[in-house]
């Protein structure tokens, strides 16, 4: 493989729909209203689900959290508490 290319993994639409449905179902099982977004490596939305009872801005928060995970190349839960507390301040309350 040339140094001009890199591998990228893309989730199918069907798999993304399954993932967001599973997130909403698990949230319901735990009594938590969940919003879930799946994006591709470019940040384009592939699938989205929002359970009843979520916050009005949860759609933006969910998508931006997914975009931050893609940008960092890490799962969205990796952010240490010290940094996570400052994210709302730095992002105008969007993260």
């Amino acid at each position: 493989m040339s140094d001009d290319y890199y591998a990228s993994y893309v989730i199918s639409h069907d798999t993304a729909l399954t993932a967001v449905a599973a997130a909403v179902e698990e949230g319901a099982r735990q009594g938590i209203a969940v919003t879930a977004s799946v994006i591709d490596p470019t940040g384009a939305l592939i699938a989205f689900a929002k359970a009843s009872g979520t916050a009005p801005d949860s759609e933006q928060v969910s998508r931006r959290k997914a975009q931050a995970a893609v940008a960092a190349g890490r799962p969205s839960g990796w952010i240490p508490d010290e940094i996570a507390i400052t994210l709302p301040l730095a992002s105008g309350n969007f993260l």
Side-chain angles (χ1 to χ4, degrees):
M1 182 183 271
S2 168
D3 290 336
D4 296 334
Y5 300 96
Y6 64 93
S8 178
Y9 301 97
V10 179
I11 190 169
S12 72
H13 183 251
D14 288 339
T15 302
L17 287 173
T18 300
V20 296
V24 170
E25 288 172 18
E26 179 61 20
R29 191 180 70 73
Q30 294 185 29
I32 303 167
V34 172
T35 303
S37 296
V38 175
I39 62 171
D40 70 13
T42 69
L45 187 64
I46 297 175
F48 171 79
K50 181 177 179 177
S52 299
T54 59
D57 63 345
S58 63
E59 179 181 350
Q60 285 185 0
V61 172
S62 175
R63 185 170 182 172
R64 289 177 188 217
K65 184 176 178 184
Q67 289 170 329
V70 167
R74 300 179 77 173
S76 61
W78 71 270
I79 301 172
D81 290 341
E82 310 81 59
I83 296 172
I85 292 170
T86 61
L87 283 176
L89 297 173
S91 68
N93 275 339
F94 284 116
L95 293 177

